[in-house]
Amino acid sequence: MAAMTETNNVHAVTEGPEGDDAKCSFHHRMFLEPQEKKRSMKALVVKQAKKTCSCTPTKVKDCVFGFFPILQWLPKYKLREYLLGDLMSGVIVGVLLVPQSIAYSLLAGVEPVYGLYTSFFASLIYCIFGTSRHISVSIFGVVCLMMGQVVDREIERAGYDLEPAVLSIPPGTAAHVNTTLSPMNGTSQQVLCDKSCHAISVAATLTFISGVYQVAMGFFQVGFVSVYLSDSLLSGFVTGASFTVLTSQVKYLLGLDIPRTGGIGSLIVTWINIFKNIHKTNICDLITSFLCFLVLIPAKELNEHFKSKLKAPIPIELVVVVAATLASHFGKLKETYGSSISGHIPTGFLPPRPPDWTLIPNVALDAIPIAIIGFAITVSLSEMFAKKHGYSVKANQEMYAIGFCNIIPSFFHCFTTSAALAKTLVKESTGCRTQISGLVTSLVILLVLLVIAPLFYSLQKCVLAVITIVNLRGALRKFKDLPKMWHLNRVDTVIWGVTMAATAFISTEIGLLVGVCFSMLCVIFRTQRPEAPLLGWVAESETYESLSAYKNLQTKPGVVVFRFEAPLYYINKECFKSALYKQTGVNPVWVKAAKKKAAKRMLREKEVGSGDNQTSISMDFVSEPLEFHTIVIDCCAVQFLDTAGIRTLKEVCKDYREIDVHVLLAQCNPSVRSSLIRGEFFKEGEDHLLFHSVHQAVDFALGTQGRSGTSASKN
């Protein structure tokens, strides 16, 4: 049974006067000599500088191949094995993206064509920079919602109150109005920019800043930020934002012309406006929405139910869009019933244009949560599917990839993108093998942009709203999982609920902040009020377990074993003391105070001569023995100590020593031992002992007490 110490800091055993007794109870000392750590800051800086600044052909090649992963996997592409699956998944995802890109453009507050631009560029650029073979980088509803709120705020701030159509701009040029010049006063020219033009300027600028943040996070390797966004937090955030997305689309379902609200409490304000204007519902839009729901929801459920049997999901969204467009065009729903339609979607691409630099101060703060959510979703999904399929992804390169998927397209009238779970699942289930699938998806969208886009002119906005709402089913289904979540982990369920409620009823940005702060507080509270049980011995073993958790455990006479299941630092130092005093049933401070009080009373009684009877009672109280002589603190769950924790341990040992109770520490990790040595914990006396295991500490305590009892009886 070996007592464990750091180099010469404490003696394990002091031999008793009797040679035989000393030999029987002797514990072999084990000295652990710590490794010498050279921590010269100058040497570290020089070493890092040489490593960073050195330039060799191999290093240049690794750097280029690491920054452009396509150079690594494309030469190894197995044409016969991979091509069919990549083609099928790319085409199917592209077909699904066309109606969703148009629908989510309304959510982002911009014209439908910009959603197609965004999906095209995002799929193409991620193919070059991304390391995940399966995720689909495109438009994500929650990010679109956050962006749409900023776009609406900036439009209102700029004073754009009129719809573009009111400005008498020809339908065929509405999308190109941001590059059209009109003569002013016969000599000067000014760029004609309407509400739609300003909206995409805001969106592109916000996208550029978000991408810069994401690339900066990759450059400085701060991917650890995603650690603070737990699965329960992200799930609650997405669910809460889904309620806001759903609410923002209800006005299109009913054909209502009400202003879009943003900021704190926007969900409640929007519902109030909807009920105030419910009498203005467009019956044509309402019926169309109802019919689309009747088709989309059962078809989506069938796709999900038979996904293992279907080689590819039925592109029901595209079918609904085509059928609704034909019905709207030939039924003249716009002219007859005043139904709201998508309008002209031009073919081709607009000339590239830089973001509006003057808008950067207005949107710089708004870009932070958008950037964080974008990279957190992307990194988490890429790691999840990489683990599932047995390959690795680079988190920092993923941040570069999603950053460039925002920076480069921002010059081509696009808005923010990120990985999307629903489309990633479709991509995986349809046979995707490599990033070539994303390239095929971009070609499908390119075909739509060059040829098919104008055919969606008569498509009703209510159909797009239905598509958006139906795609929220996955997030809203989380409510069905609440009982299982509660049974699995109540704290995570509470984090989910708080984040969801804050996101839905306050705002998306504040909801994210509330979720992060609340989850961090939960971690702090867990360490502030940890489990602190007494331990018992498992018979015929060297194991000690919690007495409150298991039956039939034994205790050693005169020895109390206590475990503190958290780091010991300034936040929970008082909790450590109170738990130790409560479990042992002895507060040494109170015992010392009671002894002093009894001694004073006895002295006072002696002075007045009050009698021998009361004096004997006081003497009995002072000399009343405790039920134990040693406390063993199991430190296996104490990850670290700070200055307050070391001071607390010193105080506890000192207080118990003054009432003749020894404190032993067992199973301390190297970090804790090092902290104790630096804090001069062992200089106050040689009875602070460290042990490899609780069993050794208990054995040593019993042996020491046995020698003390033998010596006392002989005397």
Side-chain angles (χ1 to χ4, degrees):
M1 309 302 176
M4 180 184 68
T5 70
E6 298 283 339
T7 310
N8 293 327
N9 61 341
V10 68
H11 297 288
V13 174
T14 303
E15 293 190 28
E18 302 295 330
D20 293 338
D21 292 339
K23 289 179 182 178
C24 292
S25 61
F26 181 76
H27 289 66
H28 297 287
R29 286 178 290 173
M30 178 178 291
F31 295 98
L32 296 179
E33 185 175 357
Q35 293 278 1
E36 294 184 5
K37 295 182 180 179
K38 297 180 180 179
R39 295 185 177 180
S40 172
M41 183 59 67
K42 181 180 178 181
L44 287 174
V45 170
V46 171
K47 182 180 178 182
Q48 189 64 30
K50 286 182 179 179
K51 183 179 178 181
T52 305
C53 300
S54 62
C55 184
T56 62
T58 304
K59 188 172 181 180
V60 171
K61 180 183 176 182
D62 292 341
C63 183
V64 173
F65 276 53
F67 195 71
F68 298 98
I70 191 172
L71 299 177
Q72 294 183 19
W73 58 263
L74 190 58
K76 303 175 184 177
Y77 190 82
K78 300 177 182 178
L79 198 64
R80 293 183 178 179
E81 187 177 344
Y82 295 163
L83 186 60
L84 182 61
D86 285 340
L87 282 175
M88 180 177 290
S89 65
V91 170
I92 291 169
V93 172
V95 168
L96 293 176
L97 263 178
V98 171
Q100 289 186 17
S101 299
I102 298 173
Y104 285 146
S105 298
L106 298 180
L107 192 59
V110 297
E111 294 294 323
V113 69
Y114 300 127
L116 295 172
Y117 291 162
T118 301
S119 295
F120 168 75
F121 282 106
S123 300
L124 182 63
I125 293 170
Y126 186 81
C127 177
I128 299 171
F129 292 99
T131 59
S132 173
R133 304 173 192 171
H134 292 89
I135 67 169
S136 174
V137 175
S138 57
I139 299 174
F140 183 46
V142 174
V143 174
C144 287
L145 169 69
M146 299 170 72
M147 173 164 290
Q149 293 172 342
V150 179
V151 169
D152 288 344
R153 186 195 69 205
E154 292 303 315
I155 285 177
E156 185 179 357
R157 182 180 294 177
Y160 288 95
D161 297 326
L162 300 177
E163 293 293 332
V166 180
L167 298 175
S168 301
I169 298 172
T173 61
H176 296 267
V177 71
N178 51 8
T179 58
T180 304
L181 300 178
S182 61
M184 294 290 177
N185 299 327
T187 57
S188 63
Q189 288 186 325
Q190 180 179 342
V191 176
L192 176 63
C193 189
D194 66 346
K195 179 180 176 182
S196 171
C197 165
H198 188 68
I200 192 58
S201 296
V202 174
T205 305
L206 186 60
T207 300
F208 176 80
I209 298 299
S210 300
V212 169
Y213 288 157
Q214 289 164 339
V215 169
M217 286 188 283
F219 181 78
F220 292 107
Q221 298 187 354
V222 292
F224 65 88
V225 175
S226 62
V227 172
Y228 297 101
L229 304 177
S230 63
D231 291 341
S232 57
L233 187 151
L234 284 175
S235 176
F237 174 78
V238 171
T239 304
S242 298
F243 278 107
T244 310
V245 171
L246 187 151
T247 300
S248 69
Q249 299 302 295
V250 170
K251 67 177 183 179
Y252 297 113
L253 300 182
L254 303 177
L256 299 177
D257 185 15
I258 58 177
R260 182 169 170 174
T261 57
I264 296 175
S266 59
L267 181 139
I268 298 173
V269 173
T270 302
W271 279 108
I272 291 173
N273 289 334
I274 289 171
F275 284 112
K276 281 183 178 179
N277 295 274
I278 196 74
H279 60 282
K280 300 178 183 178
T281 298
N282 188 302
I283 302 300
C284 177
D285 284 345
L286 181 62
I287 294 174
T288 303
S289 301
F290 180 71
L291 293 175
C292 289
F293 274 121
L294 286 181
V295 175
L296 279 172
I297 292 179
K300 286 274 191 179
E301 293 296 330
L302 288 173
N303 270 340
E304 206 165 294
H305 187 71
F306 295 104
K307 63 182 178 182
S308 58
K309 298 180 180 179
L310 293 172
K311 291 185 177 180
I314 302 170
I316 189 62
E317 291 170 328
L318 189 63
V319 173
V320 168
V321 165
V322 171
T325 303
L326 293 174
S328 176
H329 176 74
F330 291 105
K332 299 185 182 299
L333 302 183
K334 164 74 173 174
E335 294 79 3
T336 307
Y337 302 103
S339 183
S340 179
I341 60 174
S342 298
H344 180 72
I345 303 177
T347 55
F349 291 89
L350 295 175
R353 189 181 69 172
D356 189 344
W357 310 118
T358 61
L359 288 172
I360 290 179
N362 295 351
V363 301
L365 286 178
D366 300 295
I368 294 175
I370 292 176
I372 291 175
I373 287 297
F375 95 76
I377 295 290
T378 303
V379 170
S380 59
L381 282 180
S382 61
E383 289 179 345
M384 180 176 73
F385 282 91
K387 183 178 180 181
K388 182 177 179 180
H389 292 275
Y391 63 93
S392 61
V393 295
K394 299 178 181 177
N396 281 324
Q397 182 60 31
E398 286 298 296
M399 285 194 283
Y400 282 131
I402 196 64
F404 286 120
C405 282
N406 288 322
I407 291 177
I408 298 173
S410 68
F411 290 84
F412 295 90
H413 314 278
C414 300
F415 50 89
T416 312
T417 57
S418 74
L421 177 60
K423 289 178 278 292
T424 300
L425 289 172
V426 170
K427 191 174 180 180
E428 180 207 26
S429 64
T430 51
C432 171
R433 304 299 296 272
T434 67
Q435 292 92 318
I436 288 293
S437 173
L439 182 61
V440 175
T441 297
S442 64
L443 292 177
V444 171
I445 298 173
L446 179 63
L447 177 65
V448 174
L449 277 168
L450 296 179
V451 180
I452 305 174
L455 300 180
F456 295 111
Y457 175 83
S458 299
L459 178 61
Q460 294 169 271
K461 289 184 178 180
C462 64
V463 177
L464 301 176
V466 171
I467 292 173
T468 301
I469 292 173
V470 169
N471 282 309
L472 299 176
R473 293 174 308 124
L476 297 178
R477 277 179 181 163
K478 290 294 181 181
F479 286 98
K480 291 173 60 178
D481 299 333
L482 280 181
K484 184 178 179 181
M485 288 173 60
W486 181 260
H487 178 72
L488 188 64
N489 192 310
R490 295 185 179 183
V491 175
D492 283 349
T493 309
V494 173
I495 291 173
W496 182 92
V498 169
T499 307
M500 185 275 298
T503 303
F505 295 107
I506 304 177
S507 71
T508 49
E509 295 84 359
I510 294 178
L512 179 62
L513 181 62
V514 168
V516 171
C517 293
F518 185 76
S519 61
M520 293 177 70
L521 284 174
C522 287
V523 173
I524 293 173
F525 288 148
R526 284 177 176 179
T527 60
Q528 190 176 7
R529 294 290 177 184
E531 293 290 327
L534 291 181
L535 306 185
W537 175 54
V538 180
E540 300 180 1
S541 73
E542 296 184 358
T543 305
Y544 282 75
E545 291 293 346
S546 171
L547 288 169
S548 59
Y550 300 100
K551 299 179 180 179
N552 302 321
L553 299 180
Q554 302 176 14
T555 57
K556 299 292 185 177
V559 180
V560 173
V561 184
F562 173 79
R563 177 190 290 159
F564 191 69
E565 299 180 352
L568 182 53
Y569 62 124
Y570 71 99
I571 287 180
N572 61 12
K573 59 185 179 67
E574 294 301 326
C575 175
F576 171 80
K577 281 186 177 182
S578 61
L580 179 60
Y581 298 160
K582 180 180 178 181
Q583 293 285 32
T584 59
V586 175
N587 186 329
V589 178
W590 292 355
V591 172
K592 286 189 295 182
K595 284 186 176 183
K596 286 182 180 179
K597 188 175 180 181
K600 287 181 180 180
R601 185 186 305 164
M602 182 181 65
L603 185 61
R604 194 182 309 117
E605 291 171 352
K606 274 186 177 181
E607 290 176 354
V608 275
S610 56
D612 296 335
N613 189 28
Q614 292 183 0
T615 302
S616 63
I617 294 175
S618 298
M619 288 297 292
D620 290 341
F621 178 80
V622 173
S623 60
E624 182 181 350
L626 298 175
E627 295 180 359
F628 56 89
H629 53 76
T630 304
I631 297 175
V632 177
I633 300 179
D634 182 3
C635 300
C636 66
V638 179
Q639 294 96 339
F640 64 87
L641 296 171
D642 68 352
T643 307
I646 297 171
R647 191 184 306 116
T648 301
L649 278 178
K650 285 183 178 180
E651 292 173 359
V652 165
C653 292
K654 178 176 176 292
D655 291 341
Y656 274 111
R657 186 168 61 248
E658 291 176 355
I659 61 171
D660 298 323
V661 174
H662 298 282
V663 177
L664 309 179
L665 304 182
Q667 301 194 99
C668 297
N669 64 42
S671 172
V672 171
R673 293 198 296 270
S674 178
S675 298
L676 292 173
I677 293 172
R678 291 196 305 269
E680 301 179 349
F681 180 77
F682 301 104
K683 287 188 177 181
E684 294 186 6
E686 294 183 345
D687 53 349
H688 301 294
L689 298 178
L690 297 174
F691 293 84
H692 277 302
S693 68
V694 173
H695 184 77
Q696 292 174 353
V698 172
D699 229 21
F700 176 78
L702 293 174
T704 303
Q705 187 63 23
R707 291 197 308 277
S708 300
T710 303
S711 300
S713 62
K714 287 182 178 181
N715 292 335

